[in-house]
Amino acid sequence: MAGSTEMASLEESFRKFAIYGDTKATGQEMNGKNWAKLCKDCKVTDGKSVTSTDVDIVFSKVKGKTARVINYEEFKKALEELAPKRFKDKSKEEAYEAICQLVAGKEPVNVGVTKAKTVGAVERLTDTSKYTGSHKERFDESGKGKGKSGRENIVDTSGYVSAYKNAGTYDAKVKK
C-alpha cells in the first residue's frame, strides 16, 4: 500500500472534495457529484479507459444499497475499483498506488466561474453626475447617496416659495 503521508494527503483530498459546494457538509461523507468532480479534477477520468459513466457505476457499487453518499473507506474501495481500469499495464497494487498519487494533495478547482466586469453601459447608467430630475436629488455633489433624506419629501417651513433666490434676507431688509 501507499505510505502514511500519502494516505494522510489522500484523506485530506477526500475531505476537501467532500465539503465542496455544500455548506452543511462535514467532510466525512462524499456525494456522487463530488466523487465525479474529484475524478475529473484529479485526471482519473481520461475519456478513453475511464469515463464518467465508469465513475458513476463504481460509486453505485461501493455505496450502500439505500445510501446516497460514501465514506472514506468506501472511497478507497472505489479507487481500488477504478485503478486497474485506469492503469491497465500495471499490477493491481501498482495501479492503486498510481491512482492514489493522482488524487493525493489535490483540491477542487473552480473552472468557469464568471467574473463580474463592468461594461460601458453599466458605467454610464450608474454615474450619478448624469442623473436628472427627481433622481438627481437623491445624491450629493460627490455622488454619494443621501439616504432617507434623498428619498422623502422634506417640507420646507421657512415661509418662502421654493427656489426663491432671496430667501432668508427679509430680516436684514426690515432692520434697516
Side-chain angles (χ1 to χ4, degrees):
M1 286 282 162
S4 62
T5 56
E6 191 176 301
M7 280 298 158
S9 67
L10 184 70
E11 190 168 357
E12 183 63 29
S13 289
F14 170 80
R15 294 199 191 298
K16 284 180 181 175
F17 276 96
I19 61 170
Y20 180 77
D22 187 5
T23 53
K24 296 178 195 83
T26 60
Q28 304 297 316
E29 297 173 325
M30 180 184 289
N31 61 22
K33 176 182 70 78
N34 289 0
W35 163 248
K37 179 164 180 56
L38 177 138
C39 291
K40 186 172 158 247
D41 287 359
C42 297
K43 310 238 183 320
V44 174
T45 53
D46 58 0
K48 291 185 178 118
S49 56
V50 178
T51 62
S52 60
T53 308
D54 296 325
V55 168
D56 291 338
I57 289 169
V58 167
F59 182 82
S60 296
K61 265 189 204 175
V62 297
K63 73 175 178 62
K65 273 275 190 251
T66 57
R68 303 181 88 190
V69 292
I70 58 173
N71 59 26
Y72 182 64
E73 294 306 314
E74 291 168 329
F75 167 74
K76 289 197 291 189
K77 280 185 208 157
L79 286 180
E80 281 181 48
E81 287 275 334
L82 281 179
K85 214 170 196 179
R86 175 70 166 83
F87 299 101
K88 288 184 170 121
D89 54 334
K90 296 182 178 179
S91 70
K92 216 171 185 178
E93 290 78 25
E94 287 176 332
Y96 180 67
E97 293 257 346
I99 208 164
C100 285
Q101 286 175 351
L102 281 178
V103 176
K106 298 280 188 347
E107 51 188 66
V109 291
N110 294 330
V111 178
V113 175
T114 308
K115 300 249 187 311
K117 68 176 193 172
T118 56
V119 185
V122 174
E123 289 176 8
R124 183 173 49 80
L125 292 170
T126 57
D127 184 5
T128 57
S129 67
K130 293 187 171 104
Y131 286 0
T132 59
S134 62
H135 303 291
K136 189 177 190 178
E137 302 301 319
R138 293 178 39 222
F139 300 92
D140 60 13
E141 293 78 35
S142 67
K144 187 167 170 33
K146 290 183 183 174
K148 192 172 184 180
S149 65
R151 288 190 304 272
E152 289 185 354
N153 288 337
I154 298 169
V155 180
D156 181 17
T157 56
S158 66
Y160 289 96
V161 181
S162 65
Y164 179 62
K165 292 179 184 168
N166 298 322
T169 59
Y170 177 75
D171 292 332
K173 287 180 183 177
V174 172
K175 285 183 184 174
K176 287 184 185 176

